[in-house]
Amino acid sequence: IRADVFGKSVKTLQCEDASVLGAAILAACGVGAYRSPEEAASVMVQVKDVFEPDQSSYNVYQEKLLLYRDLYPRLKELNHRLR
């Protein structure tokens, strides 16, 4: 769904906890195993899947976004009164 919403390829990683992976990348740089975080990431980050956007779904999401942007200002006060 994310690929369709944003119209961009979405990659998932083998490592499910990005914060742990980021810490490991910085630690590897800190001990001199790599010269930069970019170099470490190029070796340590492994892509699991790539999801490509479906153009027709992206177009539908874009139409809905335009509708939302038009409706929100009109309904903002009414929604506030509903609370």
Side-chain angles (χ1 to χ4, degrees):
I1 291 177
R2 287 182 184 167
D4 293 345
V5 169
F6 296 111
K8 305 282 184 187
S9 298
V10 173
K11 297 176 183 178
T12 59
L13 304 179
Q14 291 290 342
C15 178
E16 293 181 13
D17 192 342
S19 59
V20 171
L21 179 57
I25 288 169
L26 294 176
C29 292
V31 298
Y34 298 100
R35 291 178 292 199
S36 69
E38 293 80 11
E39 180 186 5
S42 71
V43 175
M44 297 172 70
V45 174
Q46 298 174 354
V47 174
K48 180 179 180 181
D49 290 305
V50 178
F51 298 92
E52 298 297 336
D54 175 72
Q55 189 63 42
S56 63
S57 295
Y58 173 73
N59 292 340
V60 169
Y61 283 118
Q62 289 301 304
E63 289 172 17
K64 300 300 181 192
L65 177 61
L66 292 175
L67 179 61
Y68 169 80
R69 286 181 175 166
D70 188 36
L71 280 174
Y72 181 79
R74 297 176 190 202
L75 297 176
K76 184 177 179 181
E77 180 58 33
L78 180 62
N79 286 335
H80 179 68
R81 290 180 15 213
L82 290 172
R83 294 180 192 205

